[in-house]
Amino acid sequence: MTLRNFQYSLPTQLIFGENCLSFLQTKIEENSGTKVAVVMGQGSAREHGVFDEIASALQLPAEILDGCPQSPSAEFITDSVYRLKNSGVDFILAVGGGSVIDASKAIALALANDTDDIWQYKSKVVKPLVPALPIGVVLTTTGTGSEVNGGFVIQNENTSENFAFSDLTTRPRFACCDPSVTYSLPINVLEDNYTDILSHLLEQYFSEDEIGYIDQLLVASIAYLLKERDGFTSLKRNYFDRSNLMLASSFAMSYLFSMGKHVNWVLHHCAHELSIRENISHGSSLRRFLPRWLCYLAQNERYDQRFQLLANRMCLKGEELLEQKKQLINLITHQSEHSEIDSHVLSKVSAGISANQSFCERARLTPADFECLFSSRKL
């Protein structure tokens, strides 16, 4: 298999470690920020003192946008842009995790292009004409890796649709990453974060492209996450574990592991559809769909070498590859923790995916793929 042509850069500056907020003012000024819109979630940044630290470090006028929902909505983007018009804001600061960062990217792009309708870019007929306003991040959780890429997902609650978009200009200029901030996260959020990171790595690993060097990096990263799962999902205030989880989160979605690859992101698209139907977190929807996706891969011979390589790395026993596949799927999913998806919900997820024709074409999904993904058949 030939390595595909690619271009790679990681323009986001990671400011990593405790007391990283001491650099906040300088970094905003380096990016020509004179007035800041601070975007936050449902209150945890205030509750755990992060906002107070930012207020102390930031010596610039600011507009505060509270209340970003768990799945950033088109309504929140529209309301935020309307509020910020004519405000003089020239820099967006996201304080939170993936949802807040995604919303901040959409706000920065819409505000720069003088529109409050971010949804118009979904069809790709209308394209942004002006680069997004510069964005910075104060990371308070892990998982999505949104702090190091230009992608974002917005939800339309009225139509139960998701809008995934990516733009080079919505890559954050910097991200302040203090692992100790994650000490306040509850166990369900830690588990969601871990699942999201592992899923990002798995989707990039199980691509159709065989890339020697990148695949070896992926195998090592996946094996490390599987072996350290208990530490990464523990409530213990272990700075070493939290640091490594935060690093894994950022690099998993920094485009490093997709260089020279065609990654279809089927698992994540299905999980996004499921989270809308069941109103559950992104991490929960990934855990629900992960066993089904892995069984779908295991039934396709073109992924046999991937399963074999990862099984060997994990030192799994079994004379037949089928047995090793079963062991590997159990190891990855902890299947006892997962309940079966209701058939009615599953049919809606399938319909939502099939209606997205551009995605199905990019992912090269065939009727046989749909049968494997959405039937009740197991390995």
Side-chain angles (χ1 to χ4, degrees):
M1 184 70 70
T2 303
L3 184 70
R4 295 169 185 261
N5 296 342
F6 65 87
Q7 298 181 29
Y8 180 75
S9 69
L10 182 59
T12 303
Q13 182 180 12
L14 295 180
I15 307 165
F16 194 93
E18 294 180 289
N19 301 316
C20 58
L21 285 180
S22 62
F23 296 93
L24 183 62
Q25 175 81 13
T26 300
K27 294 304 171 184
I28 293 175
E29 290 176 340
E30 285 178 357
N31 288 281
S32 304
T34 61
K35 187 173 183 180
V36 182
V38 181
V39 184
M40 298 191 294
Q42 301 292 314
S44 62
R46 290 184 185 273
E47 180 182 348
H48 298 293
V50 177
F51 177 73
D52 291 338
E53 291 184 49
I54 291 171
S56 176
L58 190 60
Q59 304 300 316
L60 291 171
E63 296 280 346
I64 310 299
L65 300 175
D66 278 312
C68 177
Q70 178 175 282
S71 296
S73 64
E75 182 181 6
F76 178 78
I77 307 305
T78 298
D79 291 346
S80 298
V81 172
Y82 179 79
R83 178 177 166 182
L84 293 177
K85 277 185 177 180
N86 304 315
S87 67
V89 161
D90 53 14
F91 192 93
I92 309 296
L93 182 66
V95 181
S99 298
V100 171
I101 301 169
D102 281 12
S104 298
K105 293 174 182 177
I107 292 168
L109 192 62
L111 196 60
N113 284 273
D114 195 25
T115 178
D116 56 9
D117 181 18
I118 193 67
W119 210 257
Q120 67 179 315
Y121 299 135
K122 184 177 190 294
S123 66
K124 297 185 179 177
V125 175
V126 179
K127 296 183 178 180
L129 299 176
V130 179
L133 294 182
I135 304 160
V137 173
V138 175
L139 196 61
T140 64
T141 185
T142 60
T144 68
S146 190
E147 68 275 7
V148 292
N149 62 62
F152 58 88
V153 178
I154 303 299
Q155 184 179 116
N156 188 325
E157 294 175 334
N158 295 325
T159 62
S160 296
E161 290 180 278
N162 275 327
F163 164 34
F165 193 79
S166 183
D167 190 271
L168 287 175
T169 69
T170 53
R171 291 187 181 190
R173 305 295 178 87
F174 66 84
C176 295
C177 308
D178 179 356
S180 67
V181 171
T182 67
Y183 289 160
S184 61
L185 297 178
I187 189 67
N188 63 303
V189 174
L190 290 173
E191 290 175 345
D192 281 357
N193 293 347
Y194 173 85
T195 303
D196 204 8
I197 297 166
L198 180 60
S199 298
H200 288 151
L201 293 171
L202 287 168
E203 289 223 64
Q204 291 170 97
Y205 176 64
F206 282 105
S207 72
E208 295 180 23
D209 302 291
E210 183 180 334
I211 311 298
Y213 176 65
I214 298 299
D215 285 341
Q216 291 297 328
L217 291 178
L218 277 163
V219 167
S221 298
I222 292 167
Y224 178 64
L225 255 71
L226 291 175
K227 290 177 179 177
E228 301 298 329
R229 179 184 185 274
D230 289 346
F232 288 153
T233 57
S234 169
L235 287 173
K236 292 181 180 178
R237 298 191 168 203
N238 186 315
Y239 188 81
F240 182 80
D241 283 343
R242 298 302 176 92
S243 298
N244 278 284
L245 191 65
M246 187 170 273
L247 278 177
S249 176
S250 293
F251 281 105
M253 284 302 287
S254 67
Y255 306 118
L256 171 66
F257 296 114
S258 58
M259 287 193 297
K261 283 175 169 280
H262 172 78
V263 182
N264 58 30
W265 298 110
V266 168
L267 171 59
H268 273 75
H269 274 77
C270 291
H272 283 303
E273 287 289 334
L274 181 60
S275 66
I276 294 175
R277 312 301 171 186
E278 294 200 332
N279 193 28
I280 56 178
S281 69
H282 179 55
S284 294
S285 65
L286 284 168
R287 277 195 300 278
R288 296 287 302 283
F289 211 90
L290 185 57
R292 181 176 292 274
W293 175 74
L294 287 169
C295 287
Y296 152 69
L297 295 177
Q299 293 175 61
N300 194 322
E301 290 182 354
R302 67 186 179 217
Y303 299 112
D304 281 358
Q305 187 174 355
R306 300 303 169 89
F307 275 100
Q308 187 70 72
L309 183 62
L310 189 54
N312 290 344
R313 181 60 182 252
M314 298 305 299
C315 301
L316 299 182
K317 298 179 180 179
E319 295 182 2
E320 300 294 333
L321 179 58
L322 178 60
E323 178 59 32
Q324 291 181 332
K325 286 180 178 179
K326 291 179 179 179
Q327 290 181 47
L328 192 57
I329 290 172
N330 287 332
L331 179 63
I332 291 171
T333 63
H334 292 256
Q335 285 195 321
S336 61
E337 301 177 10
H338 307 286
S339 58
E340 184 60 36
I341 302 170
D342 179 80
S343 59
H344 182 63
V345 173
L346 199 60
S347 66
K348 287 188 174 182
V349 174
S350 176
I353 295 294
S354 61
N356 190 342
Q357 293 183 359
S358 62
F359 167 69
C360 290
E361 290 174 3
R362 290 197 310 275
R364 303 167 189 164
L365 290 176
T366 67
D369 291 324
F370 272 87
E371 175 67 19
C372 286
L373 277 167
F374 297 105
S375 72
S376 59
R377 183 173 50 187
K378 294 185 178 182
L379 189 63

